[in-house]
């Protein structure tokens, strides 16, 4: 009996030793130090695999990952920015306490495409920031992260321009990418706010606002879209009918 117990004890020691050699303990520590979300996902996958099996554990991990991706897409990073001392670079005020801000001017950075899944968060976030800062007289939208703007994003921008125009707040766009600029031009955003309100950089936009070069224009309603088929425009056809 003693021999059986000793044998079982030796087998357990060998199994534990083999498992300890196979489990990478350094990676969980690194994830915990760098990204707590990835660490929690790792722990959840490990527990799910141990309790429910490999397939169920992988399915849980994939499901949670999809939920996280959807959440991050609908709640992208954004920031109110200030200019770093002795530079023309604007960064997040939360991480750069010495960044310089201009009284009455808010620089709002949105680090994602502007499309249907996140426009609600964009609207709520911007309104919340403006309520916290009622003395804002000019708003600079840092569009460097706008890789795309869909039709709902265009409607949101027109809504923002109209609301800020009624509040007598100047709106400027900075660092708009070429293909996004083309889309905003076709959608009528450029003509609604004025081409001079689109600047190549945030610093240039702030300087233009300080110099009083940007004027507040009343934002018209969205213009009717003209479509063509074989070179004949629909609005021309409507005029002919009338």
């Amino acid at each position: 009996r003693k021999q059986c117990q000793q044998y079982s004890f030796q087998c357990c020691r060998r199994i534990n030793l083999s498992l300890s050699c196979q489990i990478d303990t350094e990676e969980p520590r690194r994830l915990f130090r760098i990204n707590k979300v990835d660490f929690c996902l790792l722990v959840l996958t490990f527990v799910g695999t141990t309790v429910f099996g490999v397939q169920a554990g992988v399915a849980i991990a994939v499901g949670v990952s999809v939920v996280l991706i959807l959440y991050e897409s609908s709640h992208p990073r954004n920031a109110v920015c200030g200019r770093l001392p002795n530079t023309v670079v604007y960064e997040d005020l939360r991480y750069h306490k010495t960044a310089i801000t201009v009284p009455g001017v808010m620089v709002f950075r949105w680090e994602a495409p502007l499309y249907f899944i996140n426009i609600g968060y964009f609207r709520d976030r911007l309104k919340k920031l403006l309520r916290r800062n009622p003395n804002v007289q000019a708003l600079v939208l840092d569009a460097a992260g706008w890789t795309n703007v869909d039709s709902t994003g265009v409607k949101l921008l027109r809504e923002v321009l109209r609301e800020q125009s009624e509040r007598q707040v100047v709106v400027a766009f900075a660092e708009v990418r070429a293909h996004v600029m083309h889309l905003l031009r076709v959608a009528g955003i450029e003509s609604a706010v004025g081409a001079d309100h689109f600047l190549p950089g945030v610093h240039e936009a702030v300087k233009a606002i300080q110099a009083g070069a940007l004027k507040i224009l009343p934002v018209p309603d969205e213009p009717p879209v003209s479509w063509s088929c074989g070179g004949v425009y629909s609005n021309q056809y409507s005029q002919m009918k009338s």
Side-chain angles (χ1 to χ4, degrees):
R1 189 173 181 179
K2 285 184 178 181
Q3 290 180 349
C4 290
Q5 290 178 348
Q6 290 177 356
Y7 179 75
S8 299
F9 178 73
Q10 290 177 359
C11 287
C12 290
R13 282 189 62 186
R14 291 176 180 175
I15 292 173
N16 290 334
L17 180 62
S18 123
L19 288 175
S20 63
C21 293
Q22 293 179 6
I23 295 177
D24 183 7
T25 58
E26 186 61 30
E27 182 65 15
R29 294 176 183 175
R30 188 182 69 85
L31 287 179
F32 182 80
R33 186 174 64 253
I34 297 175
N35 193 317
K36 302 294 190 299
V37 175
D38 287 347
F39 173 79
C40 292
L41 184 60
L42 174 66
V43 173
L44 181 64
T45 305
F46 177 78
V47 173
T49 303
T50 304
V51 176
F52 301 106
V54 175
Q55 292 183 345
V58 172
I60 291 173
V62 172
V64 174
S65 298
V66 170
V67 172
L68 289 175
I69 291 173
L70 291 175
Y71 179 81
E72 291 179 356
S73 299
S74 60
H75 294 75
R77 294 183 180 276
N78 57 88
V80 177
C81 301
R83 182 174 62 84
L84 300 182
N86 302 319
T87 70
V88 294
V89 177
Y90 285 73
E91 291 294 346
D92 192 340
L93 291 173
R94 291 172 295 185
Y95 300 106
H96 301 272
K97 304 300 182 183
T98 59
I100 302 169
T101 59
V102 176
V105 179
M106 177 185 290
V107 177
F108 180 62
R109 174 181 295 168
W110 183 259
E111 302 178 5
L114 195 59
Y115 60 134
F116 71 97
I117 198 172
N118 60 29
I119 59 170
Y121 182 58
F122 182 97
R123 181 189 299 110
D124 296 341
R125 180 64 176 155
L126 187 57
K127 287 183 177 180
K128 186 176 181 180
L129 290 172
L130 291 174
R131 281 197 302 267
R132 288 181 182 176
N133 302 273
N135 297 324
V136 170
Q137 299 174 353
L139 173 66
V140 178
L141 297 176
D142 183 352
W146 298 7
T147 55
N148 189 29
V149 178
D150 69 358
S151 59
T152 57
V154 169
K155 290 183 178 180
L156 173 63
L157 290 177
R158 186 174 291 275
E159 176 185 328
V160 169
L161 292 175
R162 184 179 292 110
E163 290 177 354
Q164 301 314 310
S165 175
E166 294 172 355
R167 296 178 64 244
Q168 294 299 300
V169 174
V170 177
V171 179
F173 296 81
E175 300 189 37
V176 182
R177 302 183 183 215
H179 65 283
V180 175
M181 188 67 233
H182 174 72
L183 189 151
L184 297 181
R185 184 176 296 116
V186 172
I189 298 297
E190 182 187 39
S191 59
V193 70
D196 57 338
H197 286 237
F198 290 83
L199 285 304
V202 175
H203 189 62
E204 288 82 356
V206 174
K207 285 295 184 182
I209 291 170
Q210 288 181 303
L214 305 183
K215 306 299 181 183
I216 301 174
L217 301 176
V219 179
D221 294 331
E222 187 173 0
V225 178
S226 297
W227 55 273
S228 63
C229 181
V232 180
Y233 288 90
S234 61
N235 55 357
Q236 294 176 351
Y237 177 72
S238 300
Q239 293 175 1
M240 292 173 61
K241 286 185 65 177
S242 59

